[in-house]
Amino acid sequence: MSGPEQISSPAQLSTLLSSTRIVVVNFYNEWNTACKAIAPVYEQLASQPAWLGVVKFAKVNAEQQAQIAQRYSITNPPTFMIFKNGQQVSKINGANPQQLSDAIKRLATEVESDGSSSGGFGEASSSGGGAWQGASLPRGYTDVTDQVDVRGLDLLNADSDFGGVRTLFETTAPSALAAGKGKGAATESESKKDWIESDVDEQLMLYMPFTSTLKVHTIQLTSLPPTSDDDDDDEIPMRPKTIHLYSNRQHNLGFDEAEDIPATQTLELDASSWDEKTGTAKLELRFVKFQNIHSLVLFISAGDGDGEKTRVDRVRIIGDTGEKREMGKLEKIGDDS
């Protein structure tokens, strides 16, 4: 098996990504010591017969191909990116051959076992760490939900009969989808209520601190309320409609407090925002406003319908990671159950 393909233009990379199931790309600099050290290891990895017909390897000189590097937010090579059916599924920063090899093996095994293709909005996919996602990733960004500091999570107005706040960040598919039934599969009789619902009204206030400073591009919100033939059934929880985001707060906001503070961004969702196969909406943020983020407050102020409660099954954070934070400086408010 030949070594990595040298990429000399954006068009060449696009052709490779569109014609190959799995592509691994090494972004490097000629002068970088870590890049030089990992180069022979990468060459050896690319030459293994086990990848023949399943994985193709490429390399990009980040300085010579600045347009490609900028497109994928490459700032500190060596950086390795793994693509499945043209969609980025993993990004590994630094010279870590074992992590890279494990990620490739995991994805190659997945492709060989399911024989399926992914990529569209309605295809559930997995990140390099195996976490379920309800939508494809935007090009150049990764799932950074693992940077959520679960010890500092706080959720206001949640019904205690359902899952706790950490349920939102579970890496498994929601039970409504795992059962293969799609929207409406989960009912109140199910033993595993792996979602959250609001309590006294439709509002929810979620505080998310992060262990690293993030650039947040998109939030994937999954909501799978059961269906009902009765349009007037106010017992059926609603999907979120109006969402306010507040960046870099030291703790959660009270509901009255949130009304007096301008949101960093407000989003309005409707029926067309939700993918009917995965029950996921992609909240595309004004990226310039969500740089250097160490915490987010997500305030659902209204649900879409006439019900009294709002339901959320999963939250995924999509973006890029920066420097690790000193977690001792985080202020934790409320129960983190």
Side-chain angles (χ1 to χ4, degrees):
M1 185 175 180
S2 60
E5 178 179 343
Q6 183 71 52
I7 301 298
S8 57
S9 70
Q12 181 185 356
L13 179 58
S14 295
T15 299
L16 180 63
L17 294 178
S18 63
S19 62
T20 309
R21 296 289 299 278
I22 301 177
V23 178
V24 184
V25 183
N26 173 18
F27 290 87
Y28 68 95
N29 286 330
E30 293 283 2
W31 49 266
N32 185 286
T33 302
C35 292
K36 292 180 180 179
I38 195 68
V41 179
Y42 185 67
E43 294 278 344
Q44 183 180 14
L45 186 64
S47 300
Q48 292 182 8
W51 309 129
L52 186 62
V54 181
V55 183
K56 285 190 177 180
F57 293 78
K59 55 185 180 180
V60 176
N61 186 314
E63 289 185 325
Q64 294 180 2
Q65 300 299 324
Q67 181 180 351
I68 300 176
Q70 183 177 10
R71 181 177 185 181
Y72 292 104
S73 302
I74 305 300
T75 58
N76 189 25
T79 298
F80 299 89
M81 299 184 70
I82 304 177
F83 299 83
K84 177 183 176 184
N85 295 319
Q87 297 292 328
Q88 176 191 331
V89 294
S90 185
K91 186 176 185 179
I92 299 171
N93 294 311
N96 191 329
Q98 188 61 53
Q99 183 182 4
L100 178 62
S101 178
D102 290 346
I104 298 170
K105 288 178 182 177
R106 185 164 50 244
L107 190 57
T109 300
E110 175 187 325
V111 168
E112 289 180 328
S113 63
D114 65 21
S116 64
S117 62
S118 71
F121 179 91
E123 292 289 339
S125 61
S126 294
S127 70
W132 178 86
Q133 294 163 353
S136 59
L137 299 179
R139 190 176 295 275
Y141 299 96
T142 58
D143 185 341
V144 294
T145 312
D146 60 355
Q147 300 300 310
V148 172
D149 179 26
V150 295
R151 299 167 300 175
L153 289 169
D154 187 34
L155 180 63
L156 302 183
N157 193 38
D159 189 333
S160 60
D161 288 340
F162 300 89
V165 62
R166 296 189 183 188
T167 300
L168 296 172
F169 303 95
E170 288 185 3
T171 58
T172 56
S175 60
L177 293 179
K181 302 175 185 177
K183 182 185 175 185
T187 67
E188 292 185 359
S189 63
E190 285 183 299
S191 59
K192 183 182 180 183
K193 296 182 178 180
D194 63 335
W195 66 88
I196 61 103
E197 290 188 15
S198 59
D199 191 6
V200 299
D201 58 24
E202 60 196 312
Q203 297 188 335
L204 288 164
M205 188 80 71
L206 172 64
Y207 175 67
M208 299 174 285
F210 304 117
T211 59
S212 297
T213 301
L214 303 181
K215 297 179 180 179
V216 183
H217 181 278
T218 306
I219 297 176
Q220 293 183 3
L221 206 62
T222 301
S223 178
L224 294 159
T227 56
S228 173
D229 294 332
D230 184 358
D231 293 337
D232 296 326
D233 190 351
D234 58 8
E235 295 298 320
I236 300 297
M238 302 175 290
R239 283 174 165 165
K241 178 181 180 181
T242 305
I243 298 172
H244 310 275
L245 294 170
Y246 305 84
S247 61
N248 294 339
R249 310 300 301 183
Q250 291 299 315
H251 53 77
N252 210 351
L253 299 176
F255 291 101
D256 292 338
E257 183 182 7
E259 294 180 357
D260 297 329
I261 299 175
T264 308
Q265 184 173 347
T266 296
L267 302 102
E268 293 286 340
L269 306 179
D270 56 29
S272 65
S273 303
W274 303 90
D275 178 70
E276 284 304 312
K277 188 173 183 180
T278 66
T280 299
K282 295 191 289 188
L283 312 183
E284 297 182 352
L285 308 185
R286 298 190 188 104
F287 194 44
V288 68
K289 291 189 174 184
F290 292 89
Q291 309 285 309
N292 301 316
I293 299 299
H294 58 73
S295 71
L296 283 175
V297 174
L298 188 152
F299 174 30
I300 299 173
S301 63
D304 189 8
D306 299 323
E308 298 179 352
K309 294 189 174 186
T310 302
R311 168 170 168 163
V312 181
D313 291 63
R314 294 291 184 272
V315 176
R316 309 301 298 175
I317 310 298
I318 311 302
D320 205 358
T321 58
E323 296 181 357
K324 285 287 183 180
R325 301 188 61 234
E326 176 55 59
M327 300 315 296
K329 296 181 180 179
L330 284 178
E331 181 178 353
K332 175 179 172 294
I333 303 293
D335 183 16
D336 64 352
S337 61

